[in-house]
């Protein structure tokens, strides 16, 4: 099973919520997961009802069976200071560089440095072991940039490795890519059953495959229930008032004939939506990847809702030992 799970998706699809639910699902039965944020939005803290995350790993939730979810908001500037200390032992000199603005310059201007630092910090957590030689975290889950940027974000280490052919930067980039392009990693894409998110998901999968990055699952989020059966949908789509009125009568609905028209309109809209969703499911099926579906939560997502979503993921095999 992949130990590094990267979650991306088009903006508005709820990728942060899915990443958080996945972290809870993977932490079940005593396992430890680390949920990593790289975009500085503090979305993880909001979901778990916690204070803004500092640049340190801290426990934010307990999963069923005693497992733990830890979280980390990676700050590129502080990660660069860690990097300089690790390889060059700068100590106080690193803090002086930060005051002079050199750290900010390096993380905003130097090509690829920011993304190397963000992915590198996450990959370090994947590889980290304790004194007994056991992995500190069973799984690391990254709430990654949106689909349109995720391939470049994950693959930027190859670009840096090409520029710096020797030395610590080259070695760091190569070490990161060995994790990202190995069976330890799976990149999951979150989508909705709508044309634009599904198309962006298909494009993202093609880009990831072209870069030899391992694609995991497609997770369809915010799935709305079908409210009527197939026969009623077909009737509503044709706008046949008499048949619908008879259906209402059989269902025990009473009222004036004026009730039929708005119900027909609503049913027709529902039938159209179901038809469009069916088309998008067919597109997703053609991508040849395992899928999972999560329901729409109408009242907003809190910690209890995250646990419900985590349970749903586990029911569908996401978070089990056989998952990829």
């Amino acid at each position: 099973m992949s130990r590094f799970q990267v979650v991306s998706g088009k903006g508005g699809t709820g990728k942060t919520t899915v990443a958080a639910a996945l972290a809870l699902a993977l932490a079940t039965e005593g396992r430890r997961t680390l949920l990593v944020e790289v975009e500085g939005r503090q979305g993880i803290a909001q979901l778990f009802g916690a204070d803004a995350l500092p640049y340190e790993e801290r426990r934010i939730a307990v999963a069923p069976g005693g497992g733990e979810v830890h979280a980390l908001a990676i700050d590129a500037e502080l990660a660069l200071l860690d990097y300089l200390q690790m390889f060059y032992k700068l100590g106080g000199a690193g803090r002086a560089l930060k005051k002079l603005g050199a750290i900010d310059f390096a993380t905003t201007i130097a090509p690829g440095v920011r993304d190397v630092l963000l992915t590198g910090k996450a990959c370090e957590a994947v590889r980290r072991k304790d004194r007994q030689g056991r992995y500190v975290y069973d799984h690391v889950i990254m709430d990654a940039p949106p689909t349109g940027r995720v391939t470049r974000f994950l693959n930027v280490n190859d670009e840096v490795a090409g520029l710096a052919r020797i030395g610590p930067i080259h070695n760091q980039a190569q070490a990161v890519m060995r994790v990202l392009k190995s069976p330890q990693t799976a990149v999951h894409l979150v989508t909705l059953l709508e044309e634009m998110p599904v198309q962006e998901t298909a494009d993202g999968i093609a880009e990831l495959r072209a870069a030899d990055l391992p694609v995991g699952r497609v997770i369809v989020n915010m799935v709305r229930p079908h409210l009527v059966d197939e026969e009623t949908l077909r009737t509503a789509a044709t706008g046949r008032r008499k048949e619908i009125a008879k259906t209402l009568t059989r269902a025990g609905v009473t009222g004036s004939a004026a009730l039929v028209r708005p119900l027909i309109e609503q049913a027709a809209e529902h039938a159209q939506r179901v038809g469009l969703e069916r088309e998008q499911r067919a597109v997703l099926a053609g991508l040849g990847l395992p899928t999972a579906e999560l329901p729409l939560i109408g009242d907003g997502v809190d910690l209890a809702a995250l646990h419900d979503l985590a349970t749903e993921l586990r029911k569908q095999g996401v978070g089990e030992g056989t998952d990829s």
Side-chain angles (χ1 to χ4, degrees):
M1 182 178 183
S2 302
R3 297 189 56 254
F4 188 25
Q5 311 259 334
V6 180
V7 180
S8 181
K10 178 177 169 57
T13 59
K15 68 178 180 64
T16 300
T17 298
V18 172
L22 179 60
L24 278 169
L26 291 169
T28 303
E29 302 303 330
R31 290 177 288 184
R32 287 165 52 92
T33 63
L34 176 65
L35 179 56
V36 174
E37 182 176 81
V38 297
E39 295 185 283
R41 296 185 295 107
Q42 290 293 336
I44 292 172
Q46 294 174 28
L47 281 172
F48 285 90
D51 295 333
L53 296 173
Y55 182 61
E56 64 181 40
E57 296 159 22
R58 61 170 50 177
R59 191 179 73 177
I60 59 171
V62 177
E68 296 180 347
V69 177
H70 295 246
L72 170 67
I74 302 178
D75 180 280
E77 292 186 23
L78 295 176
L80 179 53
L81 287 174
D82 281 353
Y83 177 84
L84 293 174
Q85 176 62 23
M86 183 184 304
F87 289 106
Y88 298 104
K89 310 299 182 186
L90 291 185
R95 291 189 292 274
L97 287 172
K98 179 175 175 61
K99 289 181 180 180
L100 292 172
I103 300 300
D104 178 66
F105 174 82
T107 57
T108 57
I109 304 300
V113 168
R114 182 182 182 86
D115 292 348
V116 169
L117 294 167
L118 296 173
T119 54
K121 185 67 175 178
C123 288
E124 181 276 325
V126 174
R127 298 190 302 264
R128 192 189 312 157
K129 294 183 179 181
D130 60 20
R131 293 180 179 178
Q132 286 73 43
R134 298 170 301 190
Y135 286 115
V136 173
Y137 294 106
D138 297 290
H139 300 281
V140 176
I141 300 90
M142 176 189 283
D143 178 20
T147 317
R149 295 194 291 114
V150 71
T151 299
R152 185 174 181 180
F153 172 78
L154 295 175
N155 206 41
V156 72
N157 296 281
D158 265 354
E159 299 176 23
V160 172
L163 293 172
R165 299 185 181 279
I166 59 174
I169 295 177
H170 172 85
N171 295 337
Q172 169 76 353
Q174 289 297 300
V176 169
M177 292 315 299
R178 281 195 293 273
V179 174
L180 291 177
K181 292 192 174 184
S182 75
Q184 292 188 79
T185 300
V187 184
H188 307 300
L189 297 183
V190 181
T191 188
L192 307 178
L193 288 175
E194 299 173 5
E195 185 174 359
M196 289 185 63
V198 168
Q199 183 59 54
E200 187 163 318
T201 297
D203 294 342
I205 290 169
E207 291 176 1
L208 289 165
R209 285 172 169 166
D212 294 323
L213 290 164
V215 185
R217 288 177 178 260
V218 173
I219 301 177
V220 184
N221 195 24
M222 295 187 255
V223 177
R224 290 174 289 185
H226 292 176
L227 304 176
V228 293
D229 59 33
E230 290 292 326
E231 181 181 356
T232 304
L233 284 176
R234 287 192 296 270
T235 303
T238 60
R240 291 180 291 178
R241 296 170 62 92
K242 290 183 179 180
E243 287 86 343
I244 293 174
K246 290 179 180 178
T247 300
L248 291 173
T249 301
R250 287 197 298 270
V253 177
T254 59
S256 66
L259 182 63
V260 175
R261 182 174 179 178
L263 286 175
I264 288 177
E265 292 175 352
Q266 291 184 31
E269 291 176 3
H270 183 70
Q272 183 180 27
R273 176 172 66 80
V274 170
L276 292 173
E277 290 177 350
R278 187 178 290 114
E279 292 175 4
Q280 299 311 311
R281 276 196 175 92
V283 174
L284 293 174
L287 298 176
L289 291 172
T291 62
E293 295 194 2
L294 292 174
L296 173 68
I297 298 177
D299 296 330
V301 179
D302 56 12
L303 184 55
L306 283 178
H307 278 281
D308 291 340
L309 293 174
T311 298
E312 187 61 36
L313 285 173
R314 289 184 61 79
K315 286 180 181 178
Q316 298 180 57
V318 184
E320 300 291 346
T322 57
D323 185 39
S324 61

